[in-house]
Amino acid sequence: MNAHVTLLDPHFLDALRPSLREGQISVDAADLQKYAIDQGPVTDYQQPVAVVWAESVADVQAVVRAAATHNVPLVTRGAGTGVSGGAHATAGSVVLNLTRMNQILEINPDDEIARVEPGVINGDLNDAVAAYGLMFAPDPASFKISTIGGNIATNAGGLRCAKYGVTRDAVLSLDVVMADGSLIHTGHRTFKGVAGYDLTGLFVGSEGTLGIVVGATVRLRYLPAIVRTLAVFFPSVQQAAAGVLAVGAARVQPCILELLDGPSLKELDFRNGSTLSQRGSALLLIQFDGLAAEAEEAIAAVELEKLGGFVSRENPAEAQRLVELRRNNRGLDVDAENRVGEDVAVPRSQLVHYITALEEMAVRHGVELQVIAHAGDGNLHPTFSVPTFEPAGIKALNAALDESIDKALELGGTITGEHGVGQYKLRWLPLEQAAEVLELQRSIKALFDPQGILNPGKAIPAAS
């Protein structure tokens, strides 16, 4: 991949020198390459002109003020685990890396909140609050390395979303550096609060296009004392998908309800030496937590056996192994031109129809398909692939991707359940949102970022 060479504005650099120490800014070729992209597909490869590591709110403000003065685009990033290109560098941009802002500022077990800097690792926060019998519920597959700031930027989901919701549901207040370098505070420390417009909710999921999150107050949940896990294998993925509705109809609430199809099980076996695919052609991995976990597990087992499921009650060690296998299988390979993992969501009542349609279109287009899903909330990650980079195969792959999006929207779904629009999904957003809705969002962007320097070319398509 080659990028058009753009040089760092020396006046921008001069403006930063009084504020940053040595080691906080780099124009080294290796750094520019390392921080040019995240884990998403690349549609327009560009290297940044510099990488800056902020270590304080004042650092972020200094960088933003210099960028505003000299009209330099800023792409803010954390660990770079996003898969929609939301942290890809754009032409002439400076990458603002917040991973050094990694302090847990407060844990208040009585109020069940924590205050964190954006570079705090999700898993590290969970380790810290576990000592108080608490947890930070959002748990994206990358939780061991992804940052809270990145989770907020993309409104990240995860396995526990079925019960606890997504990142937005756990964020109470934010400290945000605006496009002119000013610092604002939104939200509150309380679980309830409806004063004014919900600016906190607006910033969550905005992918760094409206402001730069430099601090967050998050809600914590009780760490469950009892956890029970079912592995339910089915003869077909359609039966497994029907099992999702059966669990809901039984009025029990899993914290985790994941679906894996046959090809996904075979891939896991190949990578990990497991034997999951020998136990069935699809798997529902279900976890209940809390004091009612045993009763809910028993109810679900009865209903799923009625649908032809083979129910296995897993001991804690095996349950943890299965959950870890599921967490890791989305990241087996980084997306590339010949392999793209999607992130659509459909109403749960349409899961069977959508999975059947995916299988049919994969056969028709001659591409490989694996389907995994956060089935509890209808969020699917179908992965389409072809074995080579031969043009005809890539064309077929893209046709299948486009059709999968069309079908999800036809069934009342959305183009992205948790990964965000980023750069890669801009082409599909106008299929879901009407022109007047897109224009309203452009107006919000222009109000918050009149120069258009914050993560340009992401989240919202430019006017045609």
Side-chain angles (χ1 to χ4, degrees):
M1 292 181 289
N2 295 312
H4 176 71
V5 177
T6 305
L7 299 178
L8 177 63
D9 183 341
H11 300 293
F12 171 80
L13 187 58
D14 289 342
L16 280 184
R17 282 198 175 104
S19 303
L20 303 181
R21 61 176 178 78
E22 185 178 355
Q24 284 188 265
I25 186 165
S26 174
V27 294
D28 183 78
D31 287 330
L32 301 185
Q33 181 178 8
K34 180 178 180 179
Y35 296 107
I37 59 174
D38 58 24
Q39 294 184 8
V42 180
T43 58
D44 177 27
Y45 181 77
Q46 301 287 339
Q47 287 193 359
V49 296
V51 181
V52 176
W53 287 267
E55 298 177 354
S56 66
V57 174
D59 288 350
V60 175
Q61 290 182 281
V63 173
V64 174
R65 286 172 181 145
T69 299
H70 300 285
N71 202 33
V72 174
L74 288 177
V75 177
T76 305
R77 66 175 283 148
T81 58
V83 293
S84 291
H88 286 351
T90 51
S93 66
V94 168
V95 167
L96 178 58
N97 191 313
L98 301 185
T99 54
R100 295 182 185 176
M101 295 179 65
N102 58 4
Q103 298 301 304
I104 299 174
L105 303 173
E106 177 189 359
I107 298 173
N108 188 317
D110 292 329
D111 290 339
E112 297 165 21
I113 63 169
R115 289 193 305 115
V116 299
E117 291 184 325
V120 170
I121 302 296
N122 183 304
D124 290 347
L125 175 61
N126 268 294
D127 289 343
V129 301
Y132 302 93
L134 298 167
M135 67 178 180
F136 180 60
D139 63 333
S142 58
F143 79 101
K144 292 181 180 179
I145 56 173
S146 66
T147 63
I148 300 296
N151 296 167
I152 291 170
T154 59
N155 192 23
L159 274 66
R160 291 194 292 239
C161 289
K163 182 174 183 178
Y164 296 104
V166 295
T167 298
R168 180 177 285 115
D169 300 305
V171 176
L172 299 175
S173 70
L174 294 173
D175 299 314
V176 183
V177 172
M178 303 301 290
D180 62 357
S182 60
L183 177 67
I184 67 168
H185 178 80
T186 72
H188 34 74
R189 287 173 62 97
T190 56
F191 295 163
K192 296 172 71 174
V194 293
Y197 294 139
D198 184 10
L199 294 180
T200 303
L202 179 61
F203 281 116
V204 178
S206 64
E207 303 184 41
T209 62
L210 301 180
I212 298 173
V213 172
V214 292
T217 300
V218 297
R219 178 178 184 174
L220 305 174
R221 299 282 189 167
Y222 304 135
L223 198 63
I226 301 174
V227 176
R228 291 292 181 268
T229 304
L230 291 176
V232 188
F233 291 87
F234 290 87
S236 74
V237 68
Q238 284 80 9
Q239 287 170 283
V244 176
L245 292 180
V247 170
R251 299 299 182 254
V252 293
Q253 179 59 69
C255 62
I256 293 175
L257 178 48
E258 299 291 304
L259 181 149
L260 297 89
D261 72 350
S264 297
L265 295 178
K266 290 178 180 178
E267 180 78 6
L268 279 175
D269 289 345
F270 175 76
R271 301 281 183 141
N272 300 280
S274 53
T275 59
L276 298 174
S277 61
Q278 297 177 21
R279 301 168 68 180
S281 297
L283 167 65
L284 278 186
L285 181 60
I286 311 173
Q287 194 167 90
F288 297 95
D289 67 359
L291 298 178
E294 292 180 349
E296 290 185 305
E297 177 195 53
I299 293 170
V302 169
E303 296 305 316
L304 294 171
E305 285 175 338
K306 291 178 183 177
L307 291 176
F310 177 77
V311 176
S312 174
R313 290 171 175 82
E314 305 297 341
N315 64 52
E318 177 63 11
Q320 184 62 30
R321 188 181 78 92
L322 288 174
V323 170
E324 287 302 310
L325 285 176
R326 165 60 190 93
R327 287 190 192 280
N328 294 333
N329 76 324
R330 177 62 183 87
L332 291 175
D333 294 293
V334 174
D335 285 348
E337 190 179 4
N338 69 327
R339 183 185 191 277
V340 178
E342 260 309 320
D343 168 46
V344 297
V346 297
R348 294 200 312 171
S349 62
Q350 301 300 320
L351 277 172
V352 175
H353 304 298
Y354 187 59
I355 291 172
T356 300
L358 289 173
E359 292 182 330
E360 185 277 328
M361 69 182 70
V363 171
R364 179 160 36 82
H365 290 288
V367 301
E368 297 297 319
L369 171 69
Q370 297 179 19
V371 178
I372 61 175
H374 303 307
D377 52 19
N379 184 192
L380 300 100
H381 297 313
T383 296
F384 292 99
S385 62
V386 291
T388 69
F389 293 91
E390 189 267 329
I394 300 301
K395 182 178 180 181
L397 173 65
N398 286 322
L401 286 169
D402 287 339
E403 188 174 342
S404 73
I405 292 294
D406 290 340
K407 188 64 178 180
L409 294 174
E410 177 189 321
L411 295 176
T414 176
I415 67 171
T416 175
E418 61 180 0
H419 293 164
V421 173
Q423 188 181 74
Y424 185 70
K425 295 192 174 212
L426 285 174
R427 55 180 166 156
W428 293 321
L429 190 59
L431 300 177
E432 178 174 338
Q433 297 186 341
E436 58 267 30
V437 174
L438 293 173
E439 188 55 37
L440 178 60
Q441 291 172 92
R442 293 188 192 103
S443 299
I444 294 171
K445 165 71 171 172
L447 177 64
F448 281 63
D449 178 22
Q451 291 176 260
I453 62 171
L454 298 181
N455 209 10
K458 317 290 175 55
I460 299 297
S464 56

